[in-house]
Amino acid sequence: MPLYRRTLAAACVLAPLFYVYWLRFTNYDRIGGFGGWFPSEDVFNKTLGFSKILVINLPSRTDRRDSMALVGAVSNLTFTWIDGVSGDQVTDLAAQFSTEVRSSGSRGSWRSHMNALHAIVKDNLESALILEDDIDWDIRLKSQLHTFASASRTWLRESKSDKNLVRLLDFAPLSLQKEDDGTANMEYQKDTIQLNPNMGYNGHAHKSPYGEDWDVLWLGHCGTDFPSDKPQVNPLKITIPGDDTVPAPRHLKPHPFALLDKLGEIYPPHTRIVHASSGTVCSLAYAVSHQGARKLLQEFDSHYDTQWDLMLQKWCEGGYVAKDKAQSKLEDSEDGHKHNANAPVCLTVQPPLFSHHYAKGGSSNIQGQGGGYATGTGTPYIRLSVRENLKRLIAGAPEGEMIDQLPDDGKPIWK
């Protein structure tokens, strides 16, 4: 066979293999266009792009384990179970003699989360997603996390830029909620970048699809504040507009006694925001990097002063850094704020991607849902709930046949 024909034949054989290889490692985001180029299938795997998904479950609550295992299975997720600890099993001196927290459930929760962090360090995991066993999520969770990963990488990259809070030329203009008089609400325009679906990925290889140098990604909570002017909280916010998985403002409420979230008052409907954790409560679902797990264990493995989510909240805001050390590390930035270089890097998202599922007769082992007085069933913040659509998912029904818990014109969960 002539040389040119052999060369042509080899090219015909190798070209498809090269194309497959190219897709495997540079799979362009085909869901909503967010994220650019990166190995997107990592987010779509059975552990959502983390090394493991750890689920905390009291051995006595076999009902919850069975239910959680089933919703995980229909979501194509793989769980690693962490046995929860009841308060009367806690023997740590710091917890045993705490004067601020007398709840047995809170002590047990703290120890259970410490055990999950131990598993991350012991097994040398790059990261893990820690879940409580009474939560719910949208059937579109993986595509939601795909977009969140792009926003997370954007925040991490721009927060390191010397001009990250004023350099907006590469991003789409921010759409703001209008006041009654037609003027734009400017309260949260400052320090905000809108995630652009056409924004290309910078080509940098990441170990994690969520970026690097983060400690905690707080993905499931029952309330969070926008970043404040505290020195230890970076005010940068990434907005994700036009997200149909976000409920209308009338539904943005974690429990019947809460006020409606400010998110719906400030931003256009169906906007999701990624920002530094500030005032976040409820440790329903949070990812921890290996370095984050080491830091948290160093701080809290023998230190217990209040319920776990409030300790994590304070830690994320730099509240456990020694005062003199914190003051010595305050650095000026382009926006005129002073940022604490020692503060952990904790990102959150609102509305959350995971939320409490309020089931008939259900109750928390730490505290009754909604303070013990919640009425109504369902999952706040979650539109196409996995738990509410479980029978349809098992039957193989398509997405178009799923029930939307929170349609724009529907009644809120809380009456």
Side-chain angles (χ1 to χ4, degrees), residues 58-268:
L58 278 171
S60 61
R61 293 303 301 265
T62 55
D63 57 330
R64 286 193 177 184
R65 181 174 292 214
D66 291 345
S67 177
M68 191 72 171
L70 187 55
V71 296
V74 298
S75 303
N76 196 27
L77 299 177
T78 298
F79 296 150
T80 299
W81 301 96
I82 299 292
D83 284 345
V85 178
S86 60
D88 57 7
Q89 295 176 301
V90 177
T91 58
D92 307 68
L93 291 180
Q96 195 174 33
F97 295 105
S98 171
T99 58
E100 294 186 29
V101 182
R102 303 184 184 281
S103 165
S104 174
S106 293
R107 292 199 303 272
S109 173
W110 163 75
R111 187 65 258 167
S112 301
H113 283 274
M114 290 302 101
N115 291 348
L117 295 172
H118 269 287
I120 296 172
V121 174
K122 174 179 173 292
D123 295 340
N124 198 29
L125 305 180
E126 289 187 2
S127 64
L129 176 62
I130 300 173
L131 305 179
E132 296 184 355
D133 64 358
D134 57 351
I135 63 170
D136 194 9
W137 52 87
D138 198 289
I139 67 170
R140 300 162 291 188
L141 174 64
K142 292 184 178 182
S143 61
Q144 289 176 322
L145 282 171
H146 185 83
T147 302
F148 171 82
S150 178
S152 171
R153 293 195 311 272
T154 300
W155 192 97
L156 292 166
R157 181 176 67 247
E158 294 304 310
S159 67
K160 294 177 181 178
S161 171
D162 290 339
K163 299 180 180 180
N164 71 81
L165 302 179
V166 293
R167 185 173 58 81
L168 306 180
L169 296 180
D170 294 335
F171 301 89
L174 177 66
S175 299
L176 294 175
Q177 184 71 289
K178 297 292 184 180
E179 303 288 12
D180 292 339
D181 61 0
T183 60
N185 186 323
M186 305 297 288
E187 182 177 353
Y188 291 104
Q189 182 181 25
K190 186 180 180 183
D191 310 330
T192 303
I193 292 173
Q194 180 173 304
L195 193 62
N196 189 330
N198 298 315
M199 182 175 61
Y201 186 55
N202 65 4
H204 178 65
H206 292 282
K207 290 182 179 180
S208 164
Y210 302 96
E212 277 128 30
D213 298 326
W214 54 269
D215 295 303
V216 171
L217 304 177
W218 206 324
L219 304 175
H221 53 76
C222 48
T224 189
D225 298 329
F226 284 104
S228 67
D229 290 331
K230 295 177 183 178
Q232 60 267 43
V233 180
N234 190 315
L236 179 64
K237 297 175 290 293
I238 310 298
T239 70
I240 303 167
D243 185 341
D244 291 337
T245 70
V246 175
R250 64 187 303 194
H251 297 299
L252 300 179
K253 186 175 179 178
H255 59 79
F257 312 109
L259 298 174
L260 288 171
D261 293 353
K262 281 189 176 182
L263 172 68
E265 300 174 6
I266 303 301
Y267 291 96

Side-chain angles (χ1 to χ4, degrees), residues 324-371:
D324 57 341
K325 182 179 179 182
Q327 293 299 320
S328 67
K329 288 296 183 179
L330 290 181
E331 299 177 350
D332 290 312
S333 63
E334 293 285 335
D335 63 343
H337 293 289
K338 287 182 179 293
H339 298 297
N340 187 350
N342 289 320
V345 178
C346 301
L347 296 184
T348 191
V349 56
Q350 55 173 309
L353 299 177
F354 298 85
S355 185
H356 265 307
H357 178 65
Y358 290 76
K360 290 182 180 179
S363 64
S364 168
N365 289 104
I366 304 171
Q367 183 184 46
Q369 300 181 58

